Amino acid sequence: MEEMEEELKCPVCGSFYREPIILPCSHNLCQACARNILVQTPDSESPQSRRASGSAVSDYDYLDLDKMSLYSEADSGYGSYGGFASAPTTPCQKSPNGVRVFPPAAPPPPAALAPPPPPPRNACLTCPQCHRSLVLDERGLRGFPRNRLLEGVIDRYQQGRAAALRCQLCEKAPKEAAVMCEQCDVFYCEPCRLRCHPPRGPLAKHRLVPPAQGRVGRRLSPRKISTCTDHELENHSMYCVQCKSPVCYQCLEEGKHSSHEVKALGAMWKLHKSQLSQALNGLSDRAKEAKEFLVQLRNMVQQIQENSVEFEACLVAQCDALIDALNRRKAQLLSRVNKEHEHKLKVVRDQISHCTVKLRQTTGLMEYCLEVIKENDPSGFLQISDALIRRVHLTEDQWGKGTLTPRMTTDFDLNLDNGPLLQSIHQLDFVQMKVSSPVPAPPILQLEECCTHNNSATLSWKQPPLSTVQVEGYILELDDGNGGQFREVYVGKETMCTVDGLHFNSTYSARVKAFNKTGVSPYSKTLVLQTSEVDIKKMVAVAWFSFDPASAHADIIFSNDNLTVTCNSYDDRVVLGKTGFSKGLHYWELSIDRYDNHPDPAFGVARIDVLKDAMLGKDDKAWAMYVDNNRSWFMHNNSHTNRTEGGITKGATVGVLLDLTRRTLTFSINEDQQGPVAFENLEGLFFPAVSLNRNVQVTLHTGLPVPEFYASRSAMQ
């Protein structure tokens, strides 16, 4: 059978014959290949006259093909050989099968140099095997019979090859396949089927068919299934989370993905579709806002034009009341107004043009994403979904950076001063309508009302008694308690503020300043505040804080005033608390609101620059305890220690106790200490931290007393 294969292949294309036709020399050609090697001969003599005279064709070129032969699809399979005459041999090339074939027709000469229309032409075909040339009659290729017997032999031969299909999972010498799974699209021998495709569980619903039937089904299947680039015979069946790409089973067994975390291809397909849909919803809202903003800008153009006309009319009325010298000055003032008018229009029109282009790009991106969402191939979708999601988020962020704020007002803040005397007319000029007020005076801190309580500080201030400058608000700043840089802790109109969550036994410096439309006042005098010392016996509440959306991973979902968090990803994501600790004793708890499929959330403390896309404790910037439903481990710098029995469920409470006086970190579950002291010799600034995935939701509880197990131990010491 293998030796017979070359006899079944076309000498032109080198593939199995497709719709073969029989030439007068008894050789065969694919019908499409015959069209490709046709050349034209001059039609100075009809085929009948050539047969009568016996004259040979002396000259022809390679221009237009025989139109009837080129476009005819009605080959009946039978025809007459009459009307064919020999023609001389033409220049040729080598086909994939090693025989000579005619080159394609040469392009026509440029229109400027084209000769007069040539006489009618006939087509000539040269057999690529015996090189006998034949001139076609008016029937073209329809005059050659179709070799249906050869077509049948080729079909039988290809079916015979399917019977020798091999198993795709055998590691060394593949055995002959026994079945094919239509769902997995994999050929199995009997041992591999029993080992890799047992008839139980989810695989019990798969349909197994004979290999020959499976090969035919593959060929007839209208759906294009993506195959692995490293293993061409394998289809993508899983998704590598680390590499973010579809993989096949063979990649998981022996390829570079063997040690990577993988997910079901269908599940990741649905997840990424959902993420893209959610991102599109946000972008759609931005597009609606942009459309409304464009309407606003167009209205501004009309308002500017109307205001300009009104302002010009007012200016003309004022100038007409003046003497001739004022009329000469009037032209100059009108020129100033027109320049202002043009400047405003230019700014607004430029913004309209910019927003129109950006909206067109956004709309195009939305339409493209909607078409991608309709894609039925999970592998193809997942190959571009990450890039599309990032692009949608980036486009949405671009709309939110002041893009939807007008860059120009519609008012003309100018006023004509017509009060000076006639001798002052030449100095007449515009003055601003709105006179700027001075900046406020520095506020005064009211020392009798400023105080501290535990780790909270209350500050009060007022404006100087004789100040008449309008104040729009105040800015209160505190340092970090260690003499570091000041940071804003309050901005608003109130003159009293209480700041919670400070470090115990720390000295803070505070200052305040006022502001209005003109600018910001100088700072007030600096006030030094001392927070309370920690008293274990009094069970002092040490800190109040919430989670920080600004530093959290983008996949973290916040609720309940940033006290409750979960995640929209199957991977672990990190979220930090808003407050960092460098001194004192601090204790907080996290209640488990949801716990599905036994994940491993991690709780502890971290530096501000900890990795946000990995489990807490994977790097050297975090100290954590990760726990499942049965046991827990301590982890720092990817080192796991102190396995302890006892896990968490829905409703459980995890406690974190950071004692920076003793420089230790201790954990508890349901108010009982979990394992020994987890970490010692801690120094520096630490932030409360949690890592979780979409199967976990936790709520933060702060301002709690120190647990009894630690208070009693500290009292004994």
Side-chain angles (χ1 to χ4, degrees):
M1 292 289 288
E2 297 296 336
E3 297 175 354
M4 171 184 171
E5 182 172 319
E6 291 301 321
E7 302 298 328
L8 304 179
K9 292 184 178 180
C10 174
V12 176
C13 64
S15 302
F16 286 110
Y17 285 107
R18 296 184 298 275
E19 300 180 359
I21 58 175
I22 304 176
L23 302 180
C25 58
S26 300
H27 292 121
N28 295 279
L29 281 179
C30 297
Q31 187 179 83
C33 296
R35 291 175 185 153
N36 290 337
I37 65 174
L38 281 174
V39 295
Q40 298 293 331
T41 61
D43 195 21
S44 58
E45 300 180 11
S46 67
Q48 290 79 5
S49 63
R50 291 193 190 94
R51 289 195 298 269
S53 63
S55 61
V57 179
S58 61
D59 185 31
Y60 56 87
D61 56 21
Y62 304 104
L63 297 177
D64 301 328
L65 298 178
D66 183 288
K67 297 296 190 267
M68 293 180 65
S69 174
L70 181 61
Y71 297 109
S72 172
E73 299 293 342
D75 297 328
S76 63
Y78 295 94
S80 169
Y81 286 114
F84 296 101
S86 298
T89 304
T90 63
C92 60
Q93 300 172 345
K94 287 289 185 80
S95 75
N97 230 20
V99 299
R100 294 187 296 171
V101 298
F102 283 98
L113 304 177
R121 299 175 181 272
N122 285 331
C124 176
L125 176 67
T126 300
C127 175
Q129 291 180 290
C130 66
H131 310 300
R132 177 181 176 184
S133 298
L134 302 169
V135 178
L136 278 66
D137 62 9
E138 65 277 0
R139 291 177 299 171
L141 291 178
R142 292 180 300 169
F144 297 116
R146 188 164 169 178
N147 195 339
R148 302 192 183 277
L149 177 61
L150 181 57
E151 284 187 280
V153 172
I154 292 173
D155 289 340
R156 292 288 299 275
Y157 174 73
Q158 291 180 327
Q159 292 176 6
R161 290 178 63 192
L165 293 172
R166 300 292 179 179
C167 175
Q168 294 177 255
L169 297 182
C170 289
E171 296 183 356
K172 295 182 180 179
K175 300 179 182 178
E176 185 173 344
V179 294
M180 174 195 170
C181 176
E182 290 187 336
Q183 284 70 34
C184 302
D185 198 16
V186 175
F187 290 95
Y188 299 93
C189 64
E190 192 61 25
C192 290
R193 183 189 67 81
L194 296 175
R195 177 171 58 88
C196 303
H197 202 292
R200 59 180 180 274
L203 298 178
K205 298 181 180 180
H206 289 197
R207 184 185 177 201
L208 302 178
V209 298
Q213 180 181 346
R215 172 58 65 87
V216 174
R218 268 186 173 180
R219 186 173 67 249
L220 298 180
S221 175
R223 178 182 175 185
K224 181 180 179 181
I225 301 177
S226 178
T227 59
C228 179
T229 57
D230 296 329
H231 310 95
E232 296 181 354
L233 298 179
E234 299 294 335
N235 296 325
H236 289 146
S237 55
M238 300 295 286
Y239 181 79
C240 178
V241 177
Q242 181 173 340
C243 300
K244 295 185 178 181
S245 63
V247 297
C248 67
Y249 280 109
Q250 196 166 348
C251 289
L252 301 181
E253 291 184 358
E254 60 185 33
K256 63 180 180 180
H257 305 278
S258 58
S259 60
H260 294 178
E261 180 184 0
V262 295
K263 303 285 186 181
L265 190 66
M268 295 303 295
W269 175 37
K270 294 179 180 178
L271 173 63
H272 282 235
K273 274 196 172 184
S274 174
Q275 292 176 350
L276 183 57
S277 298
Q278 293 175 3
L280 280 178
N281 290 336
L283 186 59
S284 176
D285 295 338
R286 290 293 184 182
K288 292 179 182 177
E289 294 177 7
K291 292 179 181 178
E292 296 173 356
F293 179 64
L294 285 174
V295 173
Q296 178 186 352
L297 292 178
R298 294 188 178 99
N299 292 335
M300 286 181 62
V301 172
Q302 181 65 26
Q303 292 175 8
I304 291 174
Q305 292 174 340
E306 293 174 357
N307 291 344
S308 175
V309 173
E310 181 181 354
F311 192 85
E312 289 178 8
C314 179
L315 181 62
V316 170
Q318 291 176 342
C319 291
D320 288 343
L322 301 177
I323 60 176
D324 293 341
L326 182 61
N327 288 329
R328 290 192 297 269
R329 186 65 174 171
K330 178 181 65 177
Q332 300 176 5
L333 298 176
L334 283 173
S335 176
R336 292 272 304 275
V337 173
N338 288 330
K339 288 180 180 179
E340 181 72 10
H341 171 212
E342 294 300 327
H343 172 67
K344 287 181 179 288
L345 287 180
K346 182 178 183 302
V347 172
V348 176
R349 285 169 176 164
D350 288 346
Q351 193 171 9
I352 289 176
S353 175
H354 176 73
C355 289
T356 301
V357 172
K358 196 172 244 182
L359 179 61
R360 188 181 301 116
Q361 295 173 348
T362 301
T363 304
L365 177 60
M366 293 171 57
E367 293 174 353
Y368 177 70
C369 291
L370 291 174
E371 291 298 322
V372 171
I373 289 178
K374 298 176 183 178
E375 175 63 45
N376 292 325
D377 180 11
S379 174
F381 177 83
L382 290 172
Q383 288 175 356
I384 63 173
S385 60
D386 279 323
L388 283 179
I389 292 171
R390 289 194 299 271
R391 185 175 174 188
V392 167
H393 284 305
L394 178 61
T395 304
E396 182 181 2
D397 292 340
Q398 290 175 350
W399 280 113
K401 297 178 180 177
T403 310
L404 303 183
T405 302
R407 300 174 183 171
M408 182 62 65
T409 64
T410 60
D411 297 329
F412 284 73
D413 296 336
L414 300 171
N415 185 28
L416 183 65
D417 184 7
N418 58 355
L421 298 174
L422 292 179
Q423 61 268 26
S424 303
I425 288 179
H426 291 291
Q427 287 77 38
L428 188 65
D429 202 350
F430 286 108
V431 295
Q432 290 187 352
M433 183 180 299
K434 298 178 181 179
V435 180
S436 299
S437 60
V439 298
I444 298 175
L445 287 168
Q446 302 187 82
L447 302 181
E448 65 278 7
E449 297 185 14
C450 297
C451 62
T452 61
H453 177 71
N454 291 336
N455 66 332
S456 299
T458 300
L459 296 103
S460 178
W461 58 89
K462 63 180 181 181
Q463 277 295 102
L466 300 180
S467 176
T468 59
V469 178
Q470 183 180 2
V471 176
E472 295 186 359
Y474 300 92
I475 301 173
L476 175 63
E477 297 181 355
L478 263 71
D479 66 0
D480 59 0
N482 288 318
Q485 293 183 348
F486 282 87
R487 57 188 177 91
E488 294 182 1
V489 295
Y490 171 76
V491 178
K493 297 181 179 181
E494 301 297 329
T495 58
M496 179 176 287
C497 177
T498 298
V499 182
D500 297 324
L502 302 177
H503 299 312
F504 276 87
N505 195 23
S506 299
T507 301
Y508 287 89
S509 297
R511 63 188 185 184
V512 65
K513 59 184 177 181
F515 64 88
N516 60 14
K517 292 183 178 178
T518 304
V520 180
S521 75
Y523 286 105
S524 66
K525 293 183 179 181
T526 301
L527 177 65
V528 178
L529 301 168
Q530 176 69 39
T531 57
S532 303
E533 295 184 358
V534 178
D535 189 350
I536 296 294
K537 296 180 180 179
K538 294 181 180 180
M539 303 294 184
V540 177
V542 292
W544 294 267
F545 58 92
S546 60
F547 288 115
D548 183 17
S551 62
H553 193 279
D555 292 339
I556 296 294
I557 301 173
F558 295 84
S559 59
N560 189 24
D561 293 330
N562 298 335
L563 292 175
T564 300
V565 293
T566 184
C567 181
N568 60 13
S569 172
Y570 286 104
D571 299 317
D572 290 307
R573 299 293 187 246
V574 172
V575 57
L576 302 179
K578 275 191 174 181
T579 303
F581 306 117
S582 60
K583 294 181 180 180
L585 176 65
H586 308 277
Y587 177 73
W588 61 92
E589 291 181 350
L590 300 111
S591 58
I592 310 301
D593 302 332
R594 189 179 74 251
Y595 187 79
D596 302 327
N597 302 323
H598 309 305
D600 300 320
F603 311 87
V605 297
R607 307 292 190 191
I608 189 65
D609 56 345
V610 66
L611 289 177
K612 303 299 193 308
D613 57 355
M615 178 184 285
L616 198 66
K618 285 285 188 181
D619 61 357
D620 61 350
K621 301 293 193 305
W623 295 258
M625 175 187 74
Y626 70 94
V627 56
D628 59 16
N629 60 321
N630 292 320
R631 61 194 66 85
S632 66
W633 293 262
F634 301 146
M635 184 165 65
H636 169 66
N637 201 16
N638 206 24
S639 175
H640 311 253
T641 60
N642 295 99
R643 168 177 167 172
T644 305
E645 296 299 318
I648 59 173
T649 59
K650 180 180 178 181
T653 300
V654 177
V656 183
L657 196 151
L658 177 63
D659 189 347
L660 292 173
T661 303
R662 294 183 174 87
R663 301 191 298 171
T664 61
L665 181 63
T666 309
F667 298 95
S668 64
I669 295 180
N670 297 329
E671 299 183 356
D672 293 326
Q673 183 171 343
Q674 184 73 358
V677 174
F679 302 100
E680 298 179 340
N681 300 320
L682 299 178
E683 287 184 316
L685 183 63
F686 300 91
F687 290 81
V690 177
S691 68
L692 43 70
N693 63 15
R694 66 181 303 159
N695 293 316
V696 183
Q697 177 175 302
V698 300
T699 297
L700 176 66
H701 305 276
T702 61
L704 303 176
V706 175
E708 293 183 3
F709 73 85
Y710 194 83
S712 59
R713 186 175 68 188
S714 299
M716 293 176 60
Q717 294 177 353

